[in-house]
mmCIF file of all heavy atoms in Angstrom:
data_model
loop_
_atom_site.group_PDB
_atom_site.id
_atom_site.type_symbol
_atom_site.label_atom_id
_atom_site.label_comp_id
_atom_site.label_asym_id
_atom_site.label_seq_id
_atom_site.Cartn_x
_atom_site.Cartn_y
_atom_site.Cartn_z
ATOM 1 N N ARG O 265 130.050 76.834 116.973
ATOM 2 C CA ARG O 265 129.601 75.900 115.992
ATOM 3 C C ARG O 265 128.088 75.448 116.432
ATOM 4 O O ARG O 265 127.213 75.416 115.631
ATOM 5 C CB ARG O 265 130.457 74.701 115.922
ATOM 6 C CG ARG O 265 130.051 73.611 114.945
ATOM 7 C CD ARG O 265 130.889 72.426 114.775
ATOM 8 N NE ARG O 265 130.176 71.367 114.181
ATOM 9 C CZ ARG O 265 130.618 70.129 114.234
ATOM 10 N NH1 ARG O 265 131.733 69.883 114.912
ATOM 11 N NH2 ARG O 265 130.030 69.138 113.668
ATOM 12 N N ILE O 266 127.923 75.117 117.677
ATOM 13 C CA ILE O 266 126.683 74.671 118.212
ATOM 14 C C ILE O 266 125.637 75.878 118.048
ATOM 15 O O ILE O 266 124.519 75.736 117.655
ATOM 16 C CB ILE O 266 126.655 74.155 119.702
ATOM 17 C CG1 ILE O 266 127.492 73.059 119.881
ATOM 18 C CG2 ILE O 266 125.305 74.143 120.313
ATOM 19 C CD1 ILE O 266 127.900 72.709 121.272
ATOM 20 N N SER O 267 126.034 77.137 118.502
ATOM 21 C CA SER O 267 125.238 78.229 118.399
ATOM 22 C C SER O 267 124.713 78.634 117.025
ATOM 23 O O SER O 267 123.549 78.732 116.780
ATOM 24 C CB SER O 267 125.998 79.524 118.951
ATOM 25 O OG SER O 267 125.172 80.537 118.839
ATOM 26 N N TYR O 268 125.566 78.481 116.061
ATOM 27 C CA TYR O 268 125.193 78.721 114.714
ATOM 28 C C TYR O 268 124.272 77.789 114.030
ATOM 29 O O TYR O 268 123.372 78.009 113.331
ATOM 30 C CB TYR O 268 126.422 78.982 113.813
ATOM 31 C CG TYR O 268 127.414 80.079 114.180
ATOM 32 C CD1 TYR O 268 128.668 80.202 113.999
ATOM 33 C CD2 TYR O 268 126.921 81.218 114.990
ATOM 34 C CE1 TYR O 268 129.574 81.223 114.387
ATOM 35 C CE2 TYR O 268 127.726 82.253 115.359
ATOM 36 C CZ TYR O 268 128.959 82.309 115.105
ATOM 37 O OH TYR O 268 129.942 83.200 115.509
ATOM 38 N N SER O 269 124.597 76.532 114.410
ATOM 39 C CA SER O 269 123.781 75.380 113.984
ATOM 40 C C SER O 269 122.379 75.552 114.510
ATOM 41 O O SER O 269 121.435 75.245 113.754
ATOM 42 C CB SER O 269 124.432 74.082 114.400
ATOM 43 O OG SER O 269 125.623 73.895 113.723
ATOM 44 N N ILE O 270 122.211 75.599 115.742
ATOM 45 C CA ILE O 270 120.721 75.650 116.325
ATOM 46 C C ILE O 270 120.038 76.900 115.833
ATOM 47 O O ILE O 270 118.801 76.763 115.544
ATOM 48 C CB ILE O 270 120.698 75.603 117.834
ATOM 49 C CG1 ILE O 270 121.350 76.825 118.428
ATOM 50 C CG2 ILE O 270 121.317 74.334 118.267
ATOM 51 C CD1 ILE O 270 121.291 76.752 120.055
ATOM 52 N N CYS O 271 120.738 78.051 115.483
ATOM 53 C CA CYS O 271 120.026 79.178 114.925
ATOM 54 C C CYS O 271 119.681 78.968 113.462
ATOM 55 O O CYS O 271 118.632 79.322 113.110
ATOM 56 C CB CYS O 271 120.919 80.402 115.066
ATOM 57 S SG CYS O 271 121.001 81.044 116.842
ATOM 58 N N LYS O 272 120.600 78.271 112.760
ATOM 59 C CA LYS O 272 120.263 77.968 111.381
ATOM 60 C C LYS O 272 119.076 77.086 111.246
ATOM 61 O O LYS O 272 118.248 77.314 110.307
ATOM 62 C CB LYS O 272 121.570 77.201 110.800
ATOM 63 C CG LYS O 272 121.359 76.678 109.403
ATOM 64 C CD LYS O 272 122.519 75.863 108.846
ATOM 65 C CE LYS O 272 122.278 75.280 107.468
ATOM 66 N NZ LYS O 272 123.450 74.522 107.030
ATOM 67 N N HIS O 273 118.772 76.322 112.233
ATOM 68 C CA HIS O 273 117.563 75.440 112.143
ATOM 69 C C HIS O 273 116.433 76.074 113.026
ATOM 70 O O HIS O 273 115.481 75.366 113.442
ATOM 71 C CB HIS O 273 118.000 74.034 112.746
ATOM 72 C CG HIS O 273 118.674 73.185 111.841
ATOM 73 N ND1 HIS O 273 120.070 73.333 111.786
ATOM 74 C CD2 HIS O 273 118.385 72.401 110.790
ATOM 75 C CE1 HIS O 273 120.453 72.389 110.858
ATOM 76 N NE2 HIS O 273 119.522 71.923 110.277
ATOM 77 N N ASN O 274 116.434 77.402 113.299
ATOM 78 C CA ASN O 274 115.394 78.157 113.897
ATOM 79 C C ASN O 274 115.020 77.569 115.170
ATOM 80 O O ASN O 274 113.923 77.615 115.727
ATOM 81 C CB ASN O 274 114.011 78.102 112.933
ATOM 82 C CG ASN O 274 114.265 78.809 111.728
ATOM 83 O OD1 ASN O 274 114.911 79.849 111.490
ATOM 84 N ND2 ASN O 274 113.829 78.055 110.640
ATOM 85 N N MET O 275 116.098 77.320 116.031
ATOM 86 C CA MET O 275 116.002 76.812 117.339
ATOM 87 C C MET O 275 116.040 77.978 118.418
ATOM 88 O O MET O 275 115.659 77.717 119.559
ATOM 89 C CB MET O 275 116.983 75.823 117.662
ATOM 90 C CG MET O 275 116.943 74.549 116.801
ATOM 91 S SD MET O 275 115.680 73.364 117.323
ATOM 92 C CE MET O 275 116.262 72.871 118.937
ATOM 93 N N SER O 276 116.630 79.180 118.060
ATOM 94 C CA SER O 276 116.565 80.208 118.937
ATOM 95 C C SER O 276 116.530 81.535 118.237
ATOM 96 O O SER O 276 116.878 81.580 116.951
ATOM 97 C CB SER O 276 117.936 80.150 119.675
ATOM 98 O OG SER O 276 117.979 80.915 120.904
#
Side-chain angles (χ1 to χ4, degrees):
R265 182 180 162 200
I266 293 166
S267 176
Y268 300 154
S269 293
I270 63 175
C271 289
K272 178 183 175 182
H273 288 88
N274 299 316
M275 298 281 294
S276 193

